[in-house]
């Protein structure tokens, strides 16, 4: 009988998802809305896990899960994206593969149905890491598989109301920056059977943002990071996430300081960002399948599947899942 080498042991998989952090207090959503959010988060977990359980790459799992949330009007990514100050949608997204540190990003796209797919195309089908605005649109023109929609396709009544409220507040407090309170960005980090990590983020940015404003979500190292040990996707007030290089900082604390993932993520999200005046949250995953989901806001939509197969969704901070240190 021929002797076969034993199959190499498969790495245990894990998946973590956020659907944005912000003012999400108990009572601010109807039971129906809450059910819808949890159903979407579960559908995103299922889509990502379908890839991972078959031995597929973390990168595919990240894209599959983000696609579900981009298509849902409940999240500030793809359909349901927030409006900028001119009543339009400008979408940002990025993706990074940990073991190769390849990355792709798009900023300010206005007609691309799935910004995460275009970010992946920048990574895999261009020689660049990031394309912005009209250049990104032009790149999309050259890719027949990238679906295009009119900018109004992203409209939802709920987001228009939020724009009107933000603009009324801004007028009432002339000259004072109104802190963004309508988050809903989506992000996913996955660990596959090869032990590889990937992370991605997709967003409409912040309500009432100035035309041309780019947040942290498409900035590699700020809103998204993945390396061989660690992956992060952030959500929150993007200007602070850029200034604190949040996603990179979390993973470098693990790499250089030897911090546990939970300590690193909590330190950055609960101390560094608020000390600067920002707010938000992050999801992080390491090569051992440890998950951290800290946030310093009233809530963060989140979902996880651990290496032992247990899974869950949570919204409010009193549902906080205590990550293993
Ligand atoms: N970080 C995103 C941005 O600033 C917004 C969010 O996470 O809700 O564009």
């Amino acid at each position: 009988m021929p002797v076969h080498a034993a199959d190499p042991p498969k790495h245990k998989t894990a998946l973590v998802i956020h659907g944005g952090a912000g003012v999400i207090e108990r009572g601010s959503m109807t039971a129906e809305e809450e059910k819808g959010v949890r159903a979407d988060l579960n559908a995103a977990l299922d889509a990502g896990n379908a890839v991972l359980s078959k031995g597929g790459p973390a990168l595919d799992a990240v894209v599959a899960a983000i696609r579900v949330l981009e298509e849902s009007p409940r999240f500030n990514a793809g359909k349901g994206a927030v409006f900028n100050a001119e009543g339009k949608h400008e979408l940002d997204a990025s993706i990074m593969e940990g073991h190769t540190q390849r990355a792709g990003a798009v900023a300010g796209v206005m007609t691309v149905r799935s910004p995460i797919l275009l970010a992946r195309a920048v990574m895999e089908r261009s020689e660049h890491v990031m394309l912005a605005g009209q250049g990104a649109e032009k790149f999309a023109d050259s890719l027949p598989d990238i679906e295009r929609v009119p900018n109004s396709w992203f409209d939802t009544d709920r987001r228009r109301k939020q724009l009107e409220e933000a603009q009324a507040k801004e007028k009432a407090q002339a000259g004072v920056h109104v802190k963004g309170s309508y988050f809903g960005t989506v992000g996913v980090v996955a660990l596959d059977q090869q032990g590889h990590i990937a992370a991605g983020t997709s967003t409409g940015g912040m309500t009432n943002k100035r035309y041309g404003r780019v947040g942290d979500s498409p900035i590699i190292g700020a809103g998204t990071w993945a390396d061989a040990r660690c992956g992060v996707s952030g959500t929150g007030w993007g200007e602070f996430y850029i200034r604190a290089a949040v996603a990179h900082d979390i993973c470098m604390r693990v790499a250089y300081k030897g911090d546990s993932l939970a300590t690193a993520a909590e330190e950055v999200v609960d101390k560094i960002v608020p000390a600067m005046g920002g707010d938000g949250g992050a999801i992080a995953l390491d090569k051992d399948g440890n998950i951290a989901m800290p946030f310093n806001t009233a809530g963060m939509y989140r979902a996880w599947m651990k290496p032992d197969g247990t899974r869950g969704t949570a919204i409010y901070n009193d549902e906080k899942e205590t990550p293993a240190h």
Side-chain angles (χ1 to χ4, degrees):
M1 241 169 59
V3 180
H4 292 286
D7 279 344
K10 285 187 193 128
H11 214 281
K12 283 211 156 56
T13 62
L15 188 61
V16 59
I17 297 174
H18 73 72
V23 186
I24 317 165
E25 273 151 0
R26 272 190 202 281
S28 64
M29 264 194 293
T30 64
E32 188 125 332
E33 281 165 350
E34 188 179 317
K35 227 170 112 193
V37 166
R38 290 192 197 266
D40 285 343
L41 289 170
N42 271 310
L45 268 185
D46 289 340
N49 191 49
V51 174
L52 297 174
S53 60
K54 279 198 300 244
L59 202 63
D60 289 355
V62 166
V63 171
I66 288 183
R67 285 292 295 124
V68 169
L69 301 173
E70 283 182 337
E71 289 294 306
S72 164
R74 293 189 180 87
F75 299 88
N76 172 20
K79 178 80 187 170
V82 298
F83 287 91
N84 69 10
E86 301 188 352
K88 296 271 184 325
H89 310 277
E90 293 170 274
L91 311 172
D92 298 337
S94 66
I95 191 157
M96 186 163 192
E97 182 177 60
H99 66 295
T100 57
Q101 281 186 230
R102 292 191 305 161
V106 291
V109 293
M110 297 184 79
T111 68
V112 175
R113 179 166 177 157
S114 169
I116 197 69
L117 283 179
L118 189 61
R120 183 177 184 165
V122 171
M123 176 175 94
E124 294 180 331
R125 293 149 78 182
S126 87
E127 58 197 1
H128 304 301
V129 167
M130 185 177 199
L131 290 172
Q134 292 195 350
E137 298 280 345
K138 202 167 165 191
F139 177 59
D141 292 344
S142 72
L143 304 172
D145 54 320
I146 295 293
E147 192 181 338
R148 312 298 280 281
V149 290
N151 194 250
S152 59
W153 182 83
F154 299 105
D155 289 4
T156 51
D157 290 345
R158 188 165 71 103
R159 296 300 186 194
R160 191 174 300 278
K161 212 170 133 233
Q162 290 174 348
L163 174 65
E164 286 163 6
E165 283 168 10
Q167 292 189 329
K169 246 194 224 165
E170 193 179 48
K171 235 181 176 171
Q173 306 173 15
V176 178
H177 175 86
V178 179
K179 197 160 167 169
S181 58
Y182 303 113
F183 299 156
T185 292
V186 309
V188 178
V189 190
L191 172 69
D192 66 24
Q193 289 185 12
Q194 275 64 53
H196 296 153
I197 295 170
T201 310
S202 182
T203 189
M206 288 174 78
T207 299
N208 201 27
K209 66 185 181 181
R210 185 179 291 245
Y211 173 63
R213 179 264 190 184
V214 176
D216 59 310
S217 306
I219 310 282
I220 296 301
T224 302
W225 179 261
D227 57 41
R229 296 185 192 83
C230 169
V232 172
S233 169
T235 172
W237 193 347
E239 278 69 13
F240 293 92
Y241 276 58
I242 295 172
R243 290 167 53 200
V246 163
H248 186 257
D249 191 19
I250 292 172
C251 288
M252 289 312 106
R253 285 164 184 264
V254 174
Y256 297 156
K257 279 181 79 192
D259 279 354
S260 73
L261 187 80
T263 300
E266 280 163 19
E267 196 71 25
V268 174
V269 169
D270 295 340
K271 296 208 181 111
I272 309 263
V273 170
M276 292 173 83
D279 59 358
I283 51 168
L285 177 62
D286 71 15
K287 63 171 186 348
D288 300 319
N290 293 308
I291 287 172
M293 301 175 282
F295 54 98
N296 56 48
T297 50
M300 180 168 84
Y301 297 146
R302 55 206 189 277
W304 61 89
M305 187 171 290
K306 295 184 175 177
D308 65 7
T310 57
R311 59 186 279 171
T313 63
I315 296 176
Y316 310 105
N317 60 12
D318 54 11
E319 285 179 275
K320 214 164 198 166
E321 167 83 359
T322 315
H325 276 264

